[in-house]
């Protein structure tokens, strides 16, 4: 079985996404790239997270061809593919429909930086233009709004988070949801105040250089 360790990692992160309520049933997806071959492991279509096994994962190359796997890859594989093709720094991708963040996506509103978690993402999480799911265009729209951040809102759809490792993409997706939740809850008692840009840069550097270490 090719890329067995990455398959196991993807299943583990999938369960974390499910347990943190960032995804439900079989919705959303995640992938992890092997830097040596460029091949990436992606969640199969329509398999619920609680039932997912390493052998269920599908391996694609950077041309979009199935290298190994008996199941169909996630319908969002073209979005993952275009990110990997155009962002060599990215080795992990998480796509969620988490409710607080998706609330911003359905109204086309960006998520400002409110705290350290938000700052670690690199800045405001912007909302990309609408593109149909399962298309390269969706990935291209996401990249346009994610030049300096680790996450983007997909209009009327959900969240895309990336990282140099899959674990860091999972952290980014979690931070997006937590920041969105804080904004919505904070708005019920006052006006949330965004952090200044210089503070965001300092916190971002702190997270990247000291707090998180990818293996």
């Amino acid at each position: 079985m090719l890329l067995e360790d990455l398959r196991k990692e993807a299943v583990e992160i999938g369960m974390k996404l499910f347990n943190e309520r960032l995804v439900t049933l079989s919705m959303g997806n995640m992938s992890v790239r092997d830097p040596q071959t460029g091949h990436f492991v992606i969640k199969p279509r329509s398999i619920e997270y609680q039932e997912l096994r390493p052998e269920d994962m599908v391996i694609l190359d950077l041309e979009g061809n199935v290298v190994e796997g008996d199941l169909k890859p996630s319908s969002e594989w073209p979005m993952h593919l275009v990110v990997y093709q155009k962002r060599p720094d990215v080795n992990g991708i998480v796509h969620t429909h988490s409710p607080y963040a998706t609330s911003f996506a359905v109204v086309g509103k960006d998520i400002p930086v409110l705290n350290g978690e938000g700052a670690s993402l690199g800045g405001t999480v912007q909302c990309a233009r609408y593109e149909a799911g399962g298309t390269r265009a969706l990935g291209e729209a996401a990249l346009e709004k994610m030049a300096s951040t680790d996450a983007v809102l997909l209009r009327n759809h959900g969240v895309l988070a990336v990282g140099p490792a899959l674990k860091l993409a999972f952290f980014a997706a979690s931070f997006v949801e937590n920041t969105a939740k804080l904004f919505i809850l904070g708005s019920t008692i006052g006006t949330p105040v965004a952090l200044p840009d210089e503070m965001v840069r300092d916190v971002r550097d702190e997270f990247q250089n000291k707090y998180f270490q990818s293996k």
Side-chain angles (χ1 to χ4, degrees):
M1 187 166 64
L2 293 177
L3 305 180
E4 184 172 358
D5 288 344
L6 295 185
R7 289 170 180 261
K8 292 178 178 178
E9 180 185 7
V11 171
E12 178 184 344
I13 293 297
M15 279 308 302
K16 289 184 177 181
L17 290 167
F18 180 82
N19 290 335
E20 292 296 320
R21 299 183 179 181
L22 300 178
V23 296
T24 59
L25 300 175
S26 64
M27 300 296 103
N29 40 72
M30 68 291 182
S31 68
V32 55
R33 170 163 59 177
D34 174 34
Q36 294 184 330
T37 64
H39 298 166
F40 63 97
V41 174
I42 190 167
K43 180 186 179 296
R45 192 177 308 182
S46 302
I47 303 295
E48 295 186 22
Y49 288 89
Q50 292 168 302
E51 300 175 354
L52 196 59
R53 305 170 300 169
E55 55 266 36
D56 295 327
M57 303 300 290
V58 183
I59 299 177
L60 301 179
D61 64 20
L62 287 182
E63 299 298 323
N65 302 307
V66 174
V67 175
E68 186 172 276
D70 297 326
L71 301 175
K72 292 182 179 180
S74 165
S75 61
E76 297 293 0
W77 70 263
M79 175 176 66
H80 290 247
L81 178 64
V82 72
V83 173
Y84 286 132
Q85 287 175 335
K86 298 188 177 184
R87 286 284 301 270
D89 58 309
V90 170
N91 289 312
I93 297 173
V94 167
H95 167 49
T96 75
H97 300 163
S98 54
Y100 287 98
T102 303
S103 296
F104 280 79
V106 298
V107 298
K109 186 178 178 67
D110 299 342
I111 303 175
V113 177
L114 301 178
N115 58 4
E117 288 185 350
S120 75
L121 297 168
T124 297
V125 179
Q126 299 183 71
C127 189
R129 69 176 186 273
Y130 178 81
E131 293 289 350
T135 65
R136 283 185 60 91
L138 182 59
E140 291 165 352
L143 287 173
E144 290 175 4
K145 297 292 187 178
M146 200 169 48
S148 59
T149 60
D150 296 332
V152 64
L153 297 174
L154 306 174
R155 183 67 191 263
N156 293 93
H157 190 153
V159 177
L160 181 69
V162 303
L166 181 54
K167 183 178 182 180
L168 299 184
F170 163 68
F171 284 149
S174 298
F175 293 164
V176 171
E177 179 68 358
N178 290 343
T179 304
K181 183 177 181 179
L182 283 176
F183 186 96
I184 291 171
L185 294 178
S187 296
T188 66
I189 57 176
T191 302
V193 178
L195 295 179
D197 291 343
E198 60 271 18
M199 189 175 295
V200 172
R201 287 192 296 269
D202 290 343
V203 175
R204 167 80 160 175
D205 290 343
E206 183 77 10
F207 269 75
Q208 288 190 322
N209 298 328
K210 297 181 180 180
Y211 191 76
F212 292 133
Q213 296 184 36
S214 60
K215 295 182 180 180

